[in-house]
Amino acid sequence: MEKAKNHCRHLPMAASYSGLFEGGEREIVRKMIDGLDRPKDIIEKVIIGDSLIGVLAGGRLGLSSHLGSGSHGKHGTLVGELCGQTLYDGARLSLQPDMISTAIGIAAINAGFTGDVSEESSPIQEEIVTLSGSGEVALVGKFPFFDWLKERVKKLHLFELQNVGGKVPEDQWSTTLQRASVAAITSTVFLTRYSYYYLSNTKNAKTILIGPSTPLTPVLFEFGADVLAGSRVSDPERVIANLHGNGCYSEVVKGGGIEFVLLRK
């Protein structure tokens, strides 16, 4: 089968976005920043595309979704100020309250890790099926493989902040998550400030973080993640050219230079 792209949006509810960034959520972000492999690398470029942000430092390009907050070219001053600063400085933007700063910070974090990753041997949705066995699956974010997955697992529960049909009501989130044997979570939860919530409520599940915003750092294993299914840029120049073209994520992937990779606990 064709490999579905590991990307979806888990948009924030405006009233709750900033208030969620406290306690465990802030601790996750601080530990990722403090654990960077290459904190002193100098930021050479920051590119804000139609769907992704790229931060280039030391020849490595880190990516993050920005959930549409980077559109319309309103962030030139911030981008200009970052060039010449360290990855540590850029990563600290993920502690700021606005989403575009958070997204740039996550991209900087992704540029700063050089973990021992392996290429995906099969699409991540197939791994979800294998891990689930006869158990239930929690899917955070409506990924392109949603319908395919629904036909192959015992029961699939959809968690979404967007107004989509069939999602789990918010007052049932916690109990439903705790029943799941597998939790597949879009890494845009780092942008919406829900990462700690999901990781702390899926301790009984095999937990997979998925998408281009996934920081490939073992720090996340301390908080309950079991598999990090992210991306590695093998050809920064090619990807930067596609980001400048303002293509959506699937178009950037089709342009080449991005590999889907895994880091396991």
Side-chain angles (χ1 to χ4, degrees):
M1 63 173 291
E2 182 181 355
K3 182 177 290 190
K5 302 303 181 288
N6 300 329
H7 179 63
C8 75
R9 293 186 170 190
H10 189 250
L11 295 180
M13 295 175 288
S16 60
Y17 172 73
S18 60
L20 287 166
F21 194 44
E22 54 190 26
E25 188 75 22
R26 184 174 287 271
E27 183 184 2
I28 290 176
V29 176
R30 285 191 179 278
K31 281 204 168 186
M32 289 196 297
I33 295 169
D34 291 340
L36 290 173
D37 294 329
R38 307 182 341 165
K40 296 182 180 180
D41 280 6
I42 300 301
I43 295 174
E44 302 160 39
K45 291 182 182 179
V46 178
I47 308 96
I48 301 180
D50 194 41
S51 63
L52 294 174
I53 286 173
V55 172
L56 180 69
R60 288 179 61 89
L61 183 67
L63 299 176
S64 174
S65 172
H66 56 58
L67 296 177
S69 62
S71 303
H72 313 304
K74 296 179 180 179
H75 311 288
T77 301
L78 177 59
V79 168
E81 290 174 349
L82 275 175
C83 292
Q85 295 191 42
T86 67
L87 272 181
Y88 181 82
D89 295 327
R92 283 185 56 81
L93 283 177
S94 56
L95 295 168
Q96 296 300 312
D98 62 294
M99 187 172 288
I100 187 63
S101 294
T102 301
I104 293 173
I106 294 297
I109 287 173
N110 286 333
F113 285 112
T114 56
D116 186 17
V117 298
S118 59
E119 290 191 40
E120 283 187 8
S121 57
S122 60
I124 195 62
Q125 60 267 33
E126 293 183 6
E127 179 148 348
I128 294 170
V129 173
T130 300
L131 289 174
S132 68
S134 59
E136 300 179 15
V137 174
L139 187 68
V140 180
K142 195 167 185 179
F143 287 88
F145 53 72
F146 173 80
D147 292 331
W148 182 94
L149 188 60
K150 189 175 182 180
E151 294 176 357
R152 289 164 173 81
V153 298
K154 176 183 177 180
K155 190 169 183 62
L156 182 62
H157 303 282
L158 177 64
F159 293 76
E160 256 297 348
L161 296 178
Q162 299 186 77
N163 186 22
V164 297
K167 67 178 184 177
V168 177
E170 193 169 353
D171 61 359
Q172 298 175 26
W173 278 14
S174 180
T175 55
T176 305
L177 286 168
Q178 290 169 23
R179 291 202 313 269
S181 60
V182 174
I185 303 170
T186 169
S187 287
T188 58
V189 293
F190 292 106
L191 307 180
T192 59
R193 308 302 198 191
Y194 274 89
S195 65
Y196 181 77
Y197 173 83
Y198 283 115
L199 290 172
S200 62
N201 277 281
T202 54
K203 295 186 182 298
N204 299 322
K206 289 291 185 182
T207 302
I208 309 170
L209 288 166
I210 305 174
S213 307
T214 305
L216 298 169
T217 167
V219 165
L220 293 172
F221 298 145
E222 299 175 24
F223 292 91
D226 295 289
V227 180
L228 307 177
S231 60
R232 175 176 58 192
V233 175
S234 58
D235 189 338
E237 290 186 8
R238 177 179 293 186
V239 174
I240 287 171
N242 289 326
L243 290 178
H244 277 306
N246 288 326
C248 68
Y249 178 60
S250 60
E251 291 173 348
V252 174
V253 170
K254 287 178 183 176
I258 293 179
E259 302 167 341
F260 296 112
V261 297
L262 298 175
L263 185 62
R264 300 180 186 275
K265 188 172 181 178

